[in-house]
Amino acid sequence: MVETLSLERRKRRESLAGLFRIDITDAFDMELVEDIQAAAPEVQILQINVVETINLDISPLTELKNLITLKLFEGSELESISLRGIEELDALVALEININPEMSIEEIDLTPLANHPELRVVTIACLTRNLKGLEVLRTIPNLESMGFYSLDMSELDLSDLSGCQNLESMYFGELGQENPIKPFSLKLPRKVPLKIVEVSDFFSEDMEFQVDFEFLRDIESMDSLSLRNCNLTSFDFTRLSSLKRIGRIDLSENRITHLDITPILDIATFTENALGEPTFIIDSDVIIQIEKKRQDDIPTILSKKDKIVEEHKGSYAIDYEFGHQWLRKILDTHSVEWI
């Protein structure tokens, strides 16, 4: 039987013919999937800017066996998202759901991701009230990075991911409910080789933020810890005092007025020469506090030479040069109070 296509679909197939990378804005339906399969069966990177779709089901994509990156954007009319069938996309390395529905989606079920053989990066950026099956992410053997954004939730407990052997980076942004009734609580997994933890922004300026730093007990160094614009009024650096090194720290755009850095005076950060940017970032009006008993130690600390730490197991493609330039710069640019 000869397939009869509309002029619009023929033009779409012509525009997609032979592509390995596709970025398309359209309704996510069987016609779109059929046209992609017919015109570009070897596609490797697929970004669909979803419009005019209420229920998104990715299972029709399972014939795209060479797909390594799947990105789903926009989706203002979406009411549900189903990941059923994603386990059949054996080559998939990166999944990004970056959807902005007008109303919060009740739940996204992550259980189809269980034991995926190649998946390395998972990003969920979507107004949703619940993430079902978070614990299955621990079964993904090659998972390296996760991102969670725009979650309409009061807490995010990732402790069930403890033991992920390759998980190095976690990113969070625009978290919490619009009208919070309690602090947003973030619990990170233990016994994972985390090198990067970055949190920024909340839906509400009234949101208080609580993060469990127990995960630091299992690691000796980090590349980046960023808690930017998290409505913080203070930060206790004793939480970081067990670390030997920390590449960069960002506590900017918070409500911090005084910051006691005594617990981390001896901890080296990346040098600006290595990273190419400042490595200790706070607002210019923050008053730095240091215990008086450490005042005589400052010249000795500042005299230490920068050095490359060969054994540092990091995530950045740089020379891992560490030093105390951060301390000199902070003392030069901020008011200091000896306590």
Side-chain angles (χ1 to χ4, degrees):
M1 181 177 178
V2 178
E3 185 177 18
T4 302
L5 298 175
S6 66
L7 177 60
E8 181 181 2
R9 291 188 66 187
R10 290 202 302 272
K11 288 183 176 179
R12 182 162 67 186
R13 291 194 181 191
E14 290 173 2
S15 69
L16 298 176
L19 294 180
F20 292 96
R21 183 183 188 124
I22 294 175
D23 183 343
I24 189 168
T25 300
D26 219 319
F28 192 110
D29 55 23
M30 282 304 302
E31 288 189 353
L32 173 64
V33 175
E34 289 171 358
D35 290 347
I36 293 173
Q37 290 174 346
E42 306 298 318
V43 61
Q44 296 179 348
I45 300 174
L46 176 59
Q47 176 176 318
I48 302 177
N49 307 303
V50 182
V51 296
E52 300 176 359
T53 304
I54 295 176
N55 301 305
L56 193 155
D57 178 3
I58 72 163
S59 59
L61 295 175
T62 55
E63 294 302 315
L64 301 176
K65 298 301 184 182
N66 293 310
L67 197 62
I68 59 175
T69 299
L70 175 61
K71 299 181 179 182
L72 303 172
F73 284 13
E74 298 188 20
S76 61
E77 300 174 27
L78 279 178
E79 296 179 1
S80 70
I81 298 174
S82 172
L83 299 179
R84 288 179 305 163
I86 198 168
E87 64 275 11
E88 296 184 41
L89 297 173
D90 293 340
L92 195 67
V93 171
L95 170 67
E96 180 176 354
I97 300 175
N98 196 337
I99 296 295
N100 188 27
E102 293 180 357
M103 302 293 291
S104 292
I105 292 174
E106 191 61 36
E107 180 177 86
I108 297 178
D109 185 0
L110 303 179
T111 53
L113 299 177
N115 299 301
H116 194 285
E118 296 297 335
L119 204 56
R120 285 168 168 75
V121 180
V122 175
T123 302
I124 308 294
C126 176
L127 276 174
T128 183
R129 296 189 180 93
N130 186 43
L131 292 175
K132 180 182 177 182
L134 269 171
E135 67 279 0
V136 307
L137 298 179
R138 183 166 55 88
T139 70
I140 303 175
N142 294 306
L143 187 63
E144 297 174 355
S145 178
M146 291 191 296
F148 297 96
Y149 302 86
S150 304
L151 304 182
D152 186 9
M153 299 161 59
S154 63
E155 63 180 4
L156 185 58
D157 186 349
L158 300 173
S159 57
D160 283 341
L161 276 60
S162 296
C164 280
Q165 296 183 355
N166 295 302
L167 183 58
E168 292 191 346
S169 57
M170 303 190 77
Y171 304 91
F172 308 88
E174 298 181 351
L175 299 173
Q177 298 168 319
E178 185 175 358
N179 299 302
I181 58 175
K182 63 178 183 178
F184 184 91
S185 174
L186 175 62
K187 190 168 186 178
L188 298 174
R190 296 280 307 272
K191 298 181 180 179
V192 295
L194 276 177
K195 292 297 179 183
I196 299 173
V197 175
E198 298 188 354
V199 187
S200 64
D201 307 319
F202 283 85
F203 273 143
S204 171
E205 293 182 357
D206 299 322
M207 175 68 71
E208 295 181 34
F209 175 47
Q210 298 175 345
V211 58
D212 183 354
F213 284 93
E214 288 296 303
F215 74 96
L216 291 175
R217 291 188 177 189
D218 308 308
I219 56 180
E220 67 173 29
S221 63
M222 293 186 69
D223 282 351
S224 177
L225 176 65
S226 176
L227 302 174
R228 182 176 57 82
N229 195 20
C230 290
N231 299 338
L232 298 178
T233 57
S234 63
F235 187 80
D236 182 2
F237 274 115
T238 58
R239 297 161 171 169
L240 309 186
S241 59
S242 63
L243 295 175
K244 292 182 178 179
R245 300 174 299 278
I246 181 164
R248 66 185 292 273
I249 301 171
D250 187 349
L251 296 175
S252 62
E253 300 180 49
N254 283 293
R255 302 171 186 173
I256 299 171
T257 59
H258 295 72
L259 199 58
D260 182 1
I261 65 171
T262 307
I264 61 167
L265 286 176
D266 297 300
I267 298 179
T269 71
F270 289 142
T271 63
E272 287 193 27
N273 181 55
L275 192 60
E277 61 182 63
T279 60
F280 191 96
I281 308 167
I282 57 173
D283 295 333
S284 59
D285 58 349
V286 174
I287 296 174
I288 296 299
Q289 296 178 315
I290 303 175
E291 292 180 9
K292 290 180 180 179
K293 64 182 181 181
R294 296 299 310 271
Q295 189 167 3
D296 292 339
D297 298 331
I298 300 299
T300 302
I301 295 172
L302 294 179
S303 68
K304 293 180 179 179
K305 293 183 178 180
D306 301 336
K307 65 176 182 178
I308 293 178
V309 181
E310 299 285 354
E311 66 270 21
H312 181 76
K313 298 178 181 178
S315 296
Y316 293 164
I318 62 173
D319 290 329
Y320 292 119
E321 184 181 54
F322 288 85
H324 289 83
Q325 295 178 13
W326 72 271
L327 179 57
R328 184 184 302 278
K329 188 168 185 177
I330 286 296
L331 295 178
D332 288 344
T333 57
H334 287 71
S335 298
V336 179
E337 181 178 281
W338 301 95
I339 57 176

